[in-house]
Amino acid sequence: MLLLKSRATISNPAIPAFTLSDAERSLYALSPSLWLEGDTRFIQASGSGLTGWVDRMSSRRYVPGLSTSPLIVPMGTGTRRAVRMGFGDAAHTLATNGMLAPEGGFECLSASGKQTMAALLRLPKLSSNGGTETGVTNRSGGTMVGSASATSTNRYEAYIDNTNGGAIGVKQGSTFNAASSGQALQDGVWHNLLWSIDPAVNSKAIRLDGVTLTNVGQTPVAPVAEAGALQLLIGAAGSTFTTSPFLGDIGGLIVFPGLVAHTDPTALSLIETYMATMKAGFTS
């Protein structure tokens, strides 16, 4: 997508015009490789099912990778939309809908493994923890994003404990770097999650709603060159899309290759401020 900034008013109705906020321009300057946002401007649908999620950076799409599609859930009275994965109707009955794959297999992950991701997500409250969702009795969470690598020891994956333990894991290699949020994330509330990794210097951080969590685990590694290693899946991981599929709502996902946000205070503030503004649009 090519955007031109003009000082003159263009009156040609055949030329689309986009108005970007200062915050959006700041994010564009960080060169994300993928920018998915839950909004009617970028979500394509057939009925209540998602048929495509358009990347704001390239106009490429994420499309359903399985026979059933994620659901689209309106948020308030505006244009915000959540992408609901892993369960079906409004009562959150368990279903097989979920996971999205890059159309045509386009890549957005960093070959060096140095990158930052920011996501807006909401997990349904487990019925065992006071939730009322039909069928959601024992799990909520799972693999939010992951690479399409067939080899599990080479796989990139971000995982949320699905048994109400509040643990968040990011794996780039054979072992998870895990962090405890100190709270049950299966609370039916929108959360901002950010994680950044630099394998070259064993630097990593996981942040929840603007707070850095204590994390433990092995040294992250750069991905080994193999089919699917740099392709990002949403809601699953692996070449067969079956690794611990995600159960929850996703409102947005942005990938910044080459950026280690937890060591760059300016970039970190720009990203988290934008994500907080996005979250406000889902909760208002």
Side-chain angles (χ1 to χ4, degrees):
M1 178 175 63
L2 175 65
L3 293 179
L4 299 177
K5 182 178 179 181
S6 174
R7 295 179 179 176
T9 302
I10 299 175
S11 59
N12 187 342
I15 299 177
F18 299 91
T19 301
L20 299 180
S21 67
D22 289 342
E24 288 172 313
R25 284 193 289 270
S26 295
L27 283 196
Y28 273 110
L30 296 177
S31 301
S33 58
L34 180 69
W35 184 346
L36 299 176
E37 195 162 330
D39 193 284
T40 54
R41 295 172 296 168
F42 314 114
I43 286 181
Q44 300 168 344
S46 176
S48 62
L50 183 143
T51 58
W53 201 349
V54 180
D55 173 26
R56 292 191 61 172
M57 296 302 296
S58 67
S59 296
R60 297 174 298 189
R61 303 192 309 159
Y62 267 75
V63 296
L66 300 173
S67 58
T68 51
S69 302
L71 301 181
I72 300 172
V73 183
M75 294 286 105
T77 59
T79 60
R80 290 298 188 186
R81 297 292 184 270
V83 176
R84 177 160 291 176
M85 313 187 85
F87 47 93
D89 60 22
H92 294 188
T93 302
L94 284 172
T96 58
N97 62 290
M99 80 81 45
L100 297 171
E103 190 173 44
F106 69 86
E107 300 174 341
C108 70
L109 295 176
S110 166
S112 70
K114 181 179 179 180
Q115 57 203 340
T116 294
M117 288 195 192
L120 176 63
L121 67 140
R122 178 176 66 174
L123 304 181
K125 185 182 292 186
L126 297 175
S127 57
S128 59
N129 192 39
T132 59
E133 297 84 354
T134 302
V136 185
T137 58
N138 61 354
R139 62 175 295 266
S140 171
T143 301
M144 186 175 63
V145 296
S147 67
S149 299
T151 308
S152 61
T153 54
N154 183 42
R155 195 170 293 152
Y156 179 90
E157 191 174 339
Y159 179 87
I160 299 174
D161 177 79
N162 61 16
T163 59
N164 214 29
I168 301 167
V170 176
K171 181 172 82 70
Q172 190 161 284
S174 59
T175 307
F176 277 99
N177 293 281
S180 175
S181 65
Q183 66 185 91
L185 296 179
Q186 288 81 356
D187 55 7
V189 175
W190 286 101
H191 292 284
N192 277 321
L193 184 62
L194 180 144
W195 58 99
S196 54
I197 300 174
D198 186 354
V201 294
N202 187 23
S203 182
K204 66 260 186 188
I206 300 173
R207 290 172 60 84
L208 177 68
D209 295 327
V211 177
T212 299
L213 307 178
T214 301
N215 68 89
V216 297
Q218 301 298 313
T219 303
V221 299
V224 176
E226 71 168 315
L230 303 183
Q231 293 178 19
L232 186 69
L233 306 178
I234 302 174
S239 58
T240 57
F241 313 148
T242 56
T243 301
S244 189
F246 185 70
L247 192 154
D249 295 338
I250 297 178
L253 175 69
I254 311 178
V255 181
F256 301 90
L259 174 66
V260 185
H262 69 274
T263 64
D264 186 333
T266 299
L268 180 63
S269 177
L270 289 172
I271 296 168
E272 291 193 331
T273 298
Y274 187 83
M275 296 302 291
T277 301
M278 188 192 304
K279 181 170 76 170
F282 277 75
T283 57
S284 60

